[in-house]
Amino acid sequence: MSTTFQLDTATSRANPTPAPMKRLTVPKIRQRKKDGVTAEPLVMLTAYTARQAQLLDAHCDLLLVGDSLGQVIYGLPSTIPVTLDMMANHAAAVVRGSYHSVVVVDMPFGSYEASKEQAFESASYLLKQSGAAAVKLEGGQAMAETVAFLNQRGIPVMGHVGLTPQAVNVLGGYAARGRSDAEADKIVSDAEALDEAGAFAIVIEGVIEPIAIAATKAVTAPTIGIGASAQCDGQVLVTEDMLGMFERVPRFVKRYEDIASVIETTVQKYAAEVRDRSFPGEEQTYQPKS
């Protein structure tokens, strides 16, 4: 039987333990949309570490190792400085921590735009180093030829249209897209171009709802919305956003918990016990054997 390796959470050390391979596949994700309808919407969240993947895996269809890790993990001002090695290392951790979800890894800025050949070299590196099942890249018609090139060479690709964070310097910010007729038409045609090129799914980000719905209806591949519409074929959020790890909450995020407050309160208790010497107690120390 094929095996993957899980972290044994019963110990503080990362001891690998075998687990049956029951992972979803890219074709299974693609087949969820039949005759233009996805009966059960796809669930996708971002993941950057093995432990995070373990906690999310059973509840998701896809785990996205997003280049948002630049801001979430590394405190960078945008996704632009993220490197291939950053993506490969975090993707490998997520693969090790999961056994059910399809793991998709973002191709960082500058790793695929120059040519189809550059994209293949970068994508193959990411998949070899991490064991992820697919890559995601931003861009519509301009990237369609690259998507087809990768797909024909055995690399599944998830597309990304609408608000594309790697192009923030060209777009001039993170405002919603599709408000003008020309922009709306381009978003739909971008999605169609990626669909025709063989993208197995397409993220639609930061797009006014009627255009997100139109793009979803225009393509045979499942669409995954973020700041788009519940009528997309699935949804994705940055996990730290939906858990309430940051003070700023984008309009399109629903905060399901306030984990930041839980962490802060817990650390305050720890700090107080250290300072009044009530921690460690007898239960946390080793005493001489009688």
Side-chain angles (χ1 to χ4, degrees), residues 174-193:
Y174 294 96
R177 303 290 150 185
R179 295 195 182 280
S180 70
D181 289 344
E183 197 172 55
D185 289 343
K186 184 178 187 306
I187 290 168
V188 175
S189 61
D190 278 345
E192 290 175 327

Side-chain angles (χ1 to χ4, degrees), residues 136-205:
K136 181 171 78 65
L137 55 77
E138 296 183 6
Q141 295 178 65
M143 286 294 117
E145 188 177 349
T146 296
V147 171
F149 187 84
L150 296 180
N151 193 50
Q152 291 161 7
R153 285 156 181 79
I155 298 179
V157 181
M158 176 179 285
H160 186 150
V161 301
L163 174 59
T164 48
Q166 291 178 8
V168 64
N169 291 326
V170 172
L171 297 175
Y174 294 96
R177 303 290 150 185
R179 295 195 182 280
S180 70
D181 289 344
E183 197 172 55
D185 289 343
K186 184 178 187 306
I187 290 168
V188 175
S189 61
D190 278 345
E192 290 175 327
L194 293 174
D195 189 38
E196 292 172 6
F200 76 91
I202 302 168
V203 170
I204 300 178
E205 178 172 1

Side-chain angles (χ1 to χ4, degrees), residues 1-4 19-25 57 98-101:
M1 177 182 292
S2 297
T3 60
T4 187
M21 180 68 80
K22 299 178 181 177
R23 197 179 293 278
L24 288 170
T25 64
D57 186 45
S98 62
Y99 69 90
H100 169 259
S101 302

